Amino acid sequence: MSASEKYVAAAYLVLFVALLVWVAIIAAKLARLERDVDELAELARRRVEREPEREEVSV
Amino acid sequence: MPARLRPIPLAGLAAGAALLFGTALALIFFYAPVDADQGLSQKIFYIHVPIALTAYACFGWGAWKALQHLRSRAPGADLESYAAIHQGVIFGALTLLTGSIWARISWGRWWTWSSNQLVTFLILFLFYSAYFMLRYSVEPGPARANMSAVYALFGVVLIPISWLSIRIANDYIHPTVFTTHGPQMSGSMFLAFCVSWAGLLALAATMYRIELAGKRLDARLRELRELLA
């Protein structure tokens, strides 16, 4: 591999690696959002369980 | 009232970016000829310059959204400005990295302070990097949004300075490809360049939309948490 080929490969690799890092960061954020949604769903479920059953009222 | 343009679906935008960039790579390595003067290292031009132009576009878009925020308090404009500037900084860092690699093979050094184009781009990059320090040093709210918007607008002045710096001063180190006589390259090289730029713009737009969706989702979840607490 010539010096030029190495530098060209390095330049394109920089872009590729940056894209991979960005995807990894987004994946981590997505996992955190998923955990947050699970936590909120659990919170909502517990809240529904705590509330007394509402009687139907005819209007 | 003019009809609002429907945004391209995110999946379509991502597929378009992949298709355009894949085509660009094929054109760069199998269609565009090897430069007679610089040899194979000139192939870096096809990503370095489009990445730099994409960074300018992101900063410009960020400034436009900042202006919308200041002028009409458009809902979400502050967040959109932030996301665009974030993308601009990512592409700015990539411009400096790919440029350094190209400089090493072409000039024998990673950086030179004697090139106006390089220095003004570095100033632009550092200016917008400092945007995040300013933004996160202020409590969330209207004051932060206004300060960030004013800062983003100031920075956009640096874009034409950076672009014109090699044309105003006689910069003999950094090459000038786009002159008043048009692009100084063959048709096949120009085609590869244009497709590469379109691919990178589509990639930046995809990343911008994903980041924005994540931020909006985060804000809504925080709101929901407060309601349920």
Side-chain angles (χ1 to χ4, degrees), chain B residues 15-97:
Chain B
L19 187 72
L20 279 167
F21 203 65
T23 310
L25 286 176
L27 288 172
I28 292 164
F29 291 104
F30 302 109
Y31 180 65
V34 173
D35 187 66
D37 181 36
Q38 290 193 54
L40 195 71
S41 66
Q42 185 266 348
K43 299 277 181 198
I44 298 172
F45 161 82
Y46 299 107
I47 53 160
H48 171 67
V49 180
I51 287 173
L53 295 177
T54 305
Y56 287 146
C58 290
F59 291 138
W61 185 250
W64 168 245
K65 286 290 169 186
L67 184 69
Q68 278 189 336
H69 168 77
L70 290 175
R71 210 173 47 182
S72 58
R73 298 285 183 267
D78 170 55
L79 192 65
E80 286 167 354
S81 174
Y82 161 81
I85 290 169
H86 191 215
Q87 295 311 316
V89 168
I90 293 172
F91 280 88
L94 284 172
T95 305
L96 292 169
L97 281 170

Side-chain angles (χ1 to χ4, degrees), chain B residues 2-175:
Chain B
R4 271 181 73 92
L5 286 173
R6 279 187 68 193
I8 305 166
L10 187 56
L13 197 61
L19 187 72
L20 279 167
F21 203 65
T23 310
L25 286 176
L27 288 172
I28 292 164
F29 291 104
F30 302 109
Y31 180 65
V34 173
D35 187 66
D37 181 36
Q38 290 193 54
L40 195 71
S41 66
Q42 185 266 348
K43 299 277 181 198
I44 298 172
F45 161 82
Y46 299 107
I47 53 160
H48 171 67
V49 180
I51 287 173
L53 295 177
T54 305
Y56 287 146
C58 290
F59 291 138
W61 185 250
W64 168 245
K65 286 290 169 186
L67 184 69
Q68 278 189 336
H69 168 77
L70 290 175
R71 210 173 47 182
S72 58
R73 298 285 183 267
D78 170 55
L79 192 65
E80 286 167 354
S81 174
Y82 161 81
I85 290 169
H86 191 215
Q87 295 311 316
V89 168
I90 293 172
F91 280 88
L94 284 172
T95 305
L96 292 169
L97 281 170
T98 53
S100 279
I101 293 167
W102 197 10
R104 182 74 181 85
I105 189 77
S106 294
W107 312 330
R109 50 196 159 162
W110 297 101
W111 183 263
T112 174
W113 291 103
S114 55
S115 171
N116 296 312
Q117 175 84 349
L118 265 64
V119 175
T120 50
F121 192 88
L122 181 68
I123 293 168
L124 178 73
F125 172 74
L126 292 175
F127 184 90
Y128 275 113
S129 298
Y131 169 89
F132 300 99
M133 282 192 266
L134 171 82
R135 193 175 172 89
Y136 289 110
S137 64
V138 183
E139 284 293 308
R144 180 168 94 168
N146 292 345
M147 259 192 263
S148 302
V150 170
Y151 192 89
L153 274 176
F154 269 123
V156 85
V157 177
L158 291 166
I159 296 175
I161 295 172
S162 171
W163 175 256
L164 293 169
S165 59
I166 50 168
R167 287 154 184 86
I168 296 165
N170 288 323
D171 192 334
Y172 297 110
I173 300 167
H174 199 279

